[in-house]
Amino acid sequence: MVGRQLPPEMEAAAAAKRKEFEDQMRAEEAKGGGRGSPSAGGGGGGGKPRGPKSCCCYICGKQCLMSSFEVHQKGCIEKFQKDNPGKPLPRKPELDEDATLEERDAAAQEAYKEDVMAQCPGCGRRFRDEATMQKHQKGCRGGGGGGGGGFGSSGGGRQLPPEMQAAADAKMKEFEEQMRAEEA
């Protein structure tokens, strides 16, 4: 090989990774997912293109390469504990050993969504943290799936001045009566 030489310890680590990768590729080919099969996208067409495999981190919600996932996870746990003192770590998704990468990814995304993201009580939207959700609440009208009220509701959003609230309530009552009259 022409070019720079790696130090012996790095060369050994690279050789071990190369062997691990080759063993993994042989195992995939044995399962029927080899380069020439349609499911591998290696020429049969119709499959997903091959490339670096990644999955979602259940702690930070970001995509991470499988080859460095353990290192990422260790740093992610430290950062989560530093940024969220007293808050328990998100639960690690429990999956069978034979779960596919897509199943693992979906479970990690769901765990992140449920355990880490903050949900607005007014509209049900989710945000990456409490601070972002609280900024959102200042202008939230409760129009989403969470079941909040509109202007003037006690959903934590902006409040109308009393005289405007009275006018809005009167308009709403007038509108509802008009709708009932049209239905009859």
Side-chain angles (χ1 to χ4, degrees):
M1 181 181 243
V2 180
R4 291 189 224 165
Q5 292 293 316
L6 293 173
E9 62 276 1
M10 289 180 75
E11 189 67 47
K17 276 289 186 190
R18 194 175 310 113
K19 183 180 179 332
E20 181 183 325
F21 175 76
E22 290 168 355
D23 290 344
Q24 183 181 4
M25 295 306 296
R26 275 190 225 100
E28 284 183 22
E29 286 178 14
K31 280 194 230 176
R35 291 179 189 255
S37 74
S39 64
K48 288 186 178 180
R50 292 183 71 85
K53 293 183 180 177
S54 66
C55 71
C56 179
C57 173
Y58 69 97
I59 300 169
C60 69
K62 295 179 181 176
Q63 289 291 320
C64 179
L65 291 175
M66 293 296 292
S67 60
S68 60
F69 186 72
E70 287 181 28
V71 174
H72 168 84
Q73 189 176 3
K74 196 180 296 182
C76 213
I77 289 171
E78 289 174 11
K79 183 177 184 331
F80 184 87
Q81 289 173 333
K82 180 182 149 211
D83 293 348
N84 303 289
K87 188 173 181 180
L89 277 173
R91 63 183 163 74
K92 187 173 185 173
E94 294 179 24
L95 296 162
D96 294 336
E97 284 192 28
D98 60 339
T100 66
L101 189 58
E102 288 80 17
E103 291 169 336
R104 290 178 189 279
D105 198 43
Q109 287 175 355
E110 187 62 28
Y112 173 72
K113 183 176 133 184
E114 294 297 323
D115 295 352
V116 179
M117 295 182 84
Q119 185 172 12
C120 174
C123 66
R125 283 184 59 191
R126 292 188 179 271
F127 298 89
R128 63 185 164 97
D129 57 26
E130 285 288 325
T132 307
M133 190 266 299
Q134 288 171 354
K135 285 181 188 176
H136 157 81
Q137 277 188 309
K138 291 178 184 174
C140 178
R141 296 184 185 182
F151 280 115
S153 71
S154 58
R158 294 182 182 159
Q159 300 292 312
L160 290 173
E163 64 277 1
M164 289 180 75
Q165 183 62 49
D169 290 342
K171 278 285 192 194
M172 182 59 94
K173 187 175 180 183
E174 179 184 321
F175 174 74
E176 289 170 350
E177 288 173 358
Q178 183 181 9
M179 294 302 291
R180 276 194 289 267
E182 287 180 11
E183 287 178 359

